[in-house]
């Protein structure tokens, strides 16, 4: 099981630990958010084809998928704190190697490795936040956590406006962020929950039958986010919408994601995370149905804001429910399984949606995403899981 570290001022220490872990994850998100566009810009300047750039970018989520099943065993063998600190240091080293090589072919294994070494840091940090959050306030804390993660990823590209994309400066910002991430984590490590190595241990695959519905929800949330971000600009061109307007719409969608996770978390504290997740799924599906009718009207702006909020809210509610239902090694396995399914959804759904668009035209995007949400809604109503 997971237990808080003993000591005087336990409540204050608990909040200090939560703050420290969230600070760690925010710095991690900035570093990750910076690296994706930076490497794409560099490859574009080198004349690399868009298809090759896309394949290169896919190496990182593949690294997430491959490393996820290993995280519970690593945490048990070396300790969660030591594993996370090592991964922070290795992330800085791998990013430095990427900056040093500047070669598209060498970047394939290096970008795979950065996915492998950053994933345990992210997963274990999420485990600590869930375990530390008081049950009565878990909704708002996980809402804050989701907000900061999203804001950090969004802030990463903004760093490039300050330092540019040429030479070592942007890489040094990313390397420094990973180092700072390790420092933040080390400062609160004595206050963090410990993963008890005794008792029944659960693997990532062993966790699947315990919470298949939550994992399906993660696939849908990831697939929706990645599919929308990748293909909404393509969808807009069908209606003759300018790139600047579509970029603005995507920005509003991300803003909804960032702004509304805390209110959704507070709602989950009152109405249960499971119910709010079903509402988020239903409203997301409704947005898919309304998109073709609103895309050319002013109503698209509030609609896309709400769409961004509730689509990511599916993931936030799933994380809250995960913390309500599981503890200890099962919670670690569950978070690792979430990371695995996020990678699966992010890699699988955009190509499927794109293929449907090739066959049916622009309407294939809302159709694919809407059917995915509808399947999750039906499973949520009909499905039953073992607590």
């Amino acid at each position: 099981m997971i237990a808080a570290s003993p000591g005087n001022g336990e409540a204050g220490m608990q909040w200090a630990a939560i703050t420290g872990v969230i600070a760690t994850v925010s710095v991690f998100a900035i570093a990750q958010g910076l690296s994706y566009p930076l490497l794409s810009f560099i490859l574009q300047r080198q004349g690399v084809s868009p298809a090759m750039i896309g394949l290169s970018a896919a190496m990182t989520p593949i690294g997430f998928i491959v490393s996820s099943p290993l995280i519970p065993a690593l945490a048990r063998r070396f300790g969660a704190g030591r594993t996370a600190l090592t991964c922070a240091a290795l992330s800085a080293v791998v990013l430095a190697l990427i900056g040093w090589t500047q070669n598209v072919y060498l970047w394939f294994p290096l970008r795979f490795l950065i996915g492998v070494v950053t994933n345990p840091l992210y997963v274990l940090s999420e485990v600590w936040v869930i375990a530390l959050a008081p049950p009565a306030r878990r909704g708002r804390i996980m809402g804050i956590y989701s907000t900061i993660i999203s804001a950090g990823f969004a802030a990463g590209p903004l760093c490039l406006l300050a330092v540019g994309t040429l030479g070592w400066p942007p890489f040094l910002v990313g390397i420094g962020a990973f180092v700072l991430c390790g420092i933040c984590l080390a400062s609160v490590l004595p206050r963090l929950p410990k993963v008890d190595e005794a008792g029944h241990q659960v693997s990532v695959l062993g966790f699947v039958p315990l919470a298949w519905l939550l994992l399906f929800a993660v696939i849908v949330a990831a697939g929706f986010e990645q599919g929308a971000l990748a293909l909404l600009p393509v969808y807009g061109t069908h209606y003759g919408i300018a790139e600047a307007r579509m970029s603005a719409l995507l920005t509003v969608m991300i803003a909804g994601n960032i702004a509304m996770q805390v209110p959704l978390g507070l709602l989950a504290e009152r109405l249960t995370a499971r119910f709010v997740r079903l509402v988020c799924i239903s409203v997301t599906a409704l947005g898919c149905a309304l998109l073709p009718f609103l895309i050319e009207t002013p109503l698209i702006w509030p609609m896309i804001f709400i769409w961004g909020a509730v689509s990511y809210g599916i993931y936030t509610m799933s994380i809250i429910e995960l913390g309500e239902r599981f503890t200890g090694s099962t919670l670690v396995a569950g978070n690792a399984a979430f990371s695995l399914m996020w990678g699966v959804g992010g890699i699988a759904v955009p190509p499927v949606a794109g293929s449907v668009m090739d066959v049916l035209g622009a309407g294939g995007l809302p159709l694919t995403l809407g059917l995915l949400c509808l399947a999750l809604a039906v499973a949520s109503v009909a499905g039953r899981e073992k607590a």
Side-chain angles (χ1 to χ4, degrees):
M1 59 182 292
I2 294 182
S5 298
N8 295 329
E10 184 176 343
M13 289 177 66
Q14 184 179 37
W15 287 108
I18 291 172
T19 302
V21 176
I22 290 179
T24 299
V25 177
S26 67
V27 177
F28 162 83
I30 291 171
Q32 285 287 84
L34 173 145
S35 66
Y36 278 98
L38 170 63
L39 302 185
S40 294
F41 283 134
I42 292 172
L43 291 176
Q44 196 170 27
R45 281 200 302 267
Q46 293 177 355
V48 176
S49 70
M52 186 68 78
I53 292 174
L55 286 173
S56 177
M59 291 299 103
T60 298
I62 290 173
F64 293 163
I65 292 172
V66 170
S67 63
S68 291
L70 306 177
I71 295 172
L74 288 172
R76 290 195 300 268
R77 176 67 178 84
F78 302 105
R82 186 181 300 174
T83 299
L85 284 174
T86 301
C87 286
L90 289 175
S91 298
V93 171
V94 176
L95 187 57
L97 288 173
I98 289 173
W100 179 55
T101 54
Q102 298 279 321
N103 181 288
V104 62
Y105 298 108
L106 291 176
W107 279 8
F108 273 83
L110 289 174
R111 295 186 81 168
F112 171 79
L113 281 177
I114 207 165
V116 169
V117 297
T118 57
N119 192 36
L121 175 62
Y122 172 77
V123 167
L124 293 171
S125 295
E126 194 163 76
V127 169
W128 284 318
V129 175
I130 294 171
L132 285 164
R137 298 185 179 182
R138 182 173 284 123
R140 71 193 72 182
I141 289 173
M142 297 315 299
I144 292 169
Y145 169 84
S146 294
T147 296
I148 290 177
I149 284 283
S150 299
F153 277 110
L158 295 178
C159 293
L160 298 180
L161 295 178
V163 300
T165 61
L166 297 173
W168 274 102
F171 286 99
L172 292 176
V173 170
I175 293 165
F178 280 126
V179 172
L180 180 59
C181 182
I183 292 171
C184 290
L185 181 59
S187 68
V188 296
L189 201 56
R191 303 174 179 179
L192 295 181
K194 302 293 189 290
V195 179
D196 189 351
E197 297 181 11
H200 179 61
Q201 306 297 346
V202 180
S203 68
V204 169
L205 291 179
F207 180 82
V208 172
L210 300 179
W212 63 268
L213 188 56
L214 289 180
L215 298 176
F216 184 25
V218 173
I219 292 174
V220 172
F224 183 93
E225 179 181 85
Q226 298 302 313
L229 291 176
L231 296 173
L232 265 179
V234 180
Y235 183 85
T237 61
H238 174 79
Y239 293 90
I241 298 174
E243 289 184 6
R245 179 181 169 90
M246 289 308 301
S247 296
L249 282 172
L250 288 176
T251 301
V252 170
M253 183 177 176
I254 294 169
N257 176 337
I258 294 171
M260 295 304 294
Q261 298 313 304
V262 174
L264 287 173
L266 289 168
L267 198 60
E269 292 177 5
R270 291 178 174 271
L271 302 176
T272 76
R274 185 171 298 190
F275 178 78
V276 177
R277 187 179 74 240
L278 181 59
V279 172
C280 287
I281 297 164
S282 303
V283 176
T284 304
L286 178 62
C288 294
L290 292 176
L291 182 64
F293 303 100
L294 301 182
I295 187 68
E296 296 180 280
T297 74
L299 292 175
I300 190 62
W301 298 98
M303 178 265 183
I304 210 83
F305 180 89
I306 295 170
W307 220 27
V310 295
S311 61
Y312 195 73
I314 296 170
Y315 180 80
T316 301
M317 295 306 108
S318 299
I319 279 288
I320 294 170
E321 188 176 339
L322 180 73
E324 291 171 349
R325 292 173 54 188
F326 302 104
T327 59
S329 61
T330 309
L331 180 60
V332 176
N335 272 92
F338 268 38
S339 179
L340 174 62
M341 295 306 165
W342 185 273
V344 169
I347 288 176
V349 173
V352 171
S355 298
V356 176
M357 290 175 75
D358 287 341
V359 176
L360 302 179
L365 176 62
L367 177 64
T368 303
L369 298 181
L371 288 176
L372 197 59
C373 292
L374 183 61
L376 178 58
V378 171
S380 298
V381 172
R384 293 290 183 270
E385 290 181 330
K386 211 168 30 172

